[in-house]
Amino acid sequence: DQQVKQNSPSLSVQEGRISILNCDYTNSMFDYFLWYKKYPAEGPTFLISISSIKDKNEDGRFTVFLNKSAKHLSLHIVPSQPGDSAVYFCARPTGANNLFFGTGTRLTVIP
Amino acid sequence: KAGVTQTPRYLIKTRGQQVTLSCSPISGHRSVSWYQQTPGQGLQFLFEYFSETQRNKGNFPGRFSGRQFSNSRSEMNVSTLELGDSALYLCASSSGTATDTQYFGPGTRLTVL
């Protein structure tokens, strides 16, 4: 049973426009989610997180929305920049310091 | 504050050999988790150590093992290497609770020939 699922393997967006990356999840008693960004040959870098007590969390150009009824979360990047081109993973803890990662979405921001 | 460091960054081994990878966590972090990233399986959790004790283990064969030292540095070992063990091995450190952010190292790229 996949805990989080990213259905879009890739996304291309023009520079300056909004990027929206999506993630669906299955039932859990503890809704806490994270987004990581990963460049090739580097480790994932933490971007932003959200817990079930909120439906939105914002950090600069990055905003994560949580729709608990739809079991869906999305990461919005506004405005998108070429340096945002990377693979984005949603993840959730499944135990103490055990993260389950989605399969990732490769974002390409076109200058 | 220095980040998570992993050594070596690249490694080439042959089938049947064993390998040891090392991870130094961020100063003050007591938890180290290990992950394997492959094109086919994505990012998968291997195991986690906290205060020298393995707290969690993923679904990997016993050929994959690890340990943690009193200074929180961790090593993972893979014995009897198989071609399918070729992957990027990542370690992450945190303070140790489920909602603590995990900070990842750059990874060790292992190639098994």
Side-chain angles (χ1 to χ4, degrees):
Chain A
D1 183 28
Q2 291 192 355
Q3 308 242 0
V4 291
K5 191 171 183 180
Q6 295 175 261
N7 292 313
S8 300
S10 63
L11 174 69
S12 290
V13 171
Q14 290 285 339
E15 181 179 2
R17 307 294 287 270
I18 184 171
S19 296
I20 300 176
L21 299 112
N22 296 303
C23 181
D24 296 312
Y25 64 93
T26 56
N27 281 329
S28 172
M29 293 179 63
F30 181 55
D31 292 334
Y32 180 77
F33 302 93
L34 308 95
W35 284 94
Y36 281 83
K37 176 170 79 172
K38 188 179 184 302
Y39 294 116
E42 292 185 13
T45 302
F46 170 74
L47 273 176
I48 193 168
S49 62
I50 191 165
S51 70
S52 56
I53 61 172
K54 290 184 171 184
D55 52 19
K56 175 183 172 181
N57 190 23
E58 195 170 349
D59 184 1
R61 296 186 298 114
F62 301 91
T63 303
V64 57
F65 295 91
L66 179 62
N67 183 333
K68 290 183 280 294
S69 61
K71 293 186 172 50
H72 178 85
L73 64 152
S74 59
L75 174 68
H76 293 212
I77 306 174
V78 182
S80 301
Q81 300 173 353
D84 296 330
S85 296
V87 179
Y88 289 78
F89 294 92
C90 65
R92 76 188 302 180
T94 60
N97 284 17
N98 169 5
L99 288 174
F100 185 97
F101 284 88
T103 50
T105 297
R106 181 177 301 278
L107 174 66
T108 302
V109 180
I110 303 164
Chain B
K1 213 181 220 184
V4 178
T5 58
Q6 291 186 246
T7 56
R9 291 294 311 276
Y10 302 92
L11 206 49
I12 299 175
K13 292 284 188 179
T14 57
R15 280 181 298 175
Q17 288 187 306
Q18 72 151 11
V19 66
T20 299
L21 312 180
S22 180
C23 173
S24 292
I26 291 171
S27 177
H29 284 182
R30 295 166 66 190
S31 169
V32 173
S33 299
W34 288 89
Y35 294 83
Q36 180 197 63
Q37 185 184 26
T38 59
Q41 299 298 320
L43 268 159
Q44 292 187 289
F45 171 76
L46 280 156
F47 33 66
E48 184 247 356
Y49 286 86
F50 181 83
S51 294
E52 301 179 67
T53 301
Q54 187 182 87
R55 282 200 301 193
N56 286 290
K57 189 175 191 308
N59 189 26
F60 279 82
R63 300 185 297 107
F64 292 81
S65 63
R67 59 177 176 168
Q68 187 179 34
F69 302 95
S70 58
N71 62 357
S72 294
R73 190 177 69 85
S74 176
E75 290 180 346
M76 70 163 279
N77 184 276
V78 188
S79 62
T80 320
L81 284 165
E82 300 176 359
L83 295 179
D85 297 333
S86 295
L88 181 67
Y89 290 89
L90 295 155
C91 81
S93 79
S94 77
S95 299
T97 63
T99 56
D100 282 344
T101 300
Q102 290 191 37
Y103 296 92
F104 283 81
T108 294
R109 169 71 64 185
L110 172 65
T111 302
V112 182
L113 303 176

